[in-house]
């Protein structure tokens, strides 16, 4: 099992954060502008862990050199079932330097946006304290 997938499935926030490059770029499925940096990305991922219910990876796809991965998942948020995918690129040190998330359907994306919006004061505090 890939270390990223293991960290997420075990809800191991420290292991997940250790996999992030300092300059990681996180592209949210519900925000226009990407977030740059390890502290804000780690805080967002902690927020996601708080709002996703029944999270399960159902498929993992990797390119031969192991630097690009797609992790397909299902979850529930705000009573809405969603399907999504984490697209990750790993730098030469094996750290995630690009992290893009996509989700469907639109009703679930809206529920995710609302749930994460409610988390953002805490996310900003966590990122500032890192």
């Amino acid at each position: 099992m890939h270390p990223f997938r293991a960290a997420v499935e075990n809800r191991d926030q420290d292991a997940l954060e250790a996999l992030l490059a300092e300059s990681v770029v996180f592209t949210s499925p519900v925000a226009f502008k990407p977030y740059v940096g390890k502290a804000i990305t780690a805080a967002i991922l902690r927020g996601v862990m708080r709002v996703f219910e029944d999270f399960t990876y159902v498929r993992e796809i990797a390119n031969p050199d192991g630097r690009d991965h797609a992790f397909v998942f299902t979850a529930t948020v705000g009573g809405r079932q969603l399907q999504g995918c984490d697209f990750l690129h790993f730098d030469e040190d094996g750290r995630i330097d690009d992290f893009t998330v996509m989700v469907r359907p639109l009703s679930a994306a809206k529920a995710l946006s609302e749930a994460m919006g409610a988390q953002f004061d805490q996310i900003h505090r966590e990122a500032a304290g890192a």
Side-chain angles (χ1 to χ4, degrees):
M1 179 181 299
H2 191 277
F4 170 80
R5 182 174 178 173
V8 172
E9 289 183 346
N10 292 323
R11 303 182 64 82
D12 186 340
Q13 296 174 3
D14 293 334
L16 185 56
E17 188 170 346
L19 289 169
L20 300 174
E22 288 298 327
S23 61
V24 61
V25 176
F26 179 82
T27 305
S28 163
V30 296
F32 177 73
K33 183 179 170 187
Y35 298 91
V36 178
K38 183 175 183 172
I40 189 67
T41 300
I44 290 168
L45 295 175
R46 287 190 295 273
V48 169
M49 286 185 182
R50 290 188 292 266
V51 302
F52 275 172
E53 301 170 31
D54 307 319
F55 183 91
T56 305
Y57 280 117
V58 296
R59 190 173 194 193
E60 182 178 334
I61 305 162
N63 74 339
D65 72 6
R67 293 188 61 188
D68 288 290
H69 284 262
F71 297 89
V72 180
F73 63 86
T74 60
T76 304
V77 63
R80 299 284 184 177
Q81 293 277 327
L82 66 82
Q83 180 183 34
C85 191
D86 293 331
F87 295 100
L88 309 179
H89 180 268
F90 292 82
D91 65 16
E92 57 279 346
D93 296 322
R95 298 223 179 353
I96 301 165
D97 61 2
D98 188 67
F99 192 135
T100 299
V101 181
M102 295 187 182
V103 298
R104 63 163 304 279
L106 180 58
S107 61
K110 287 180 180 179
L112 176 60
S113 179
E114 291 170 10
M116 288 302 293
Q119 294 284 318
F120 250 80
D121 285 343
Q122 182 175 349
I123 288 169
H124 284 294
R125 285 192 306 272
E126 290 176 10

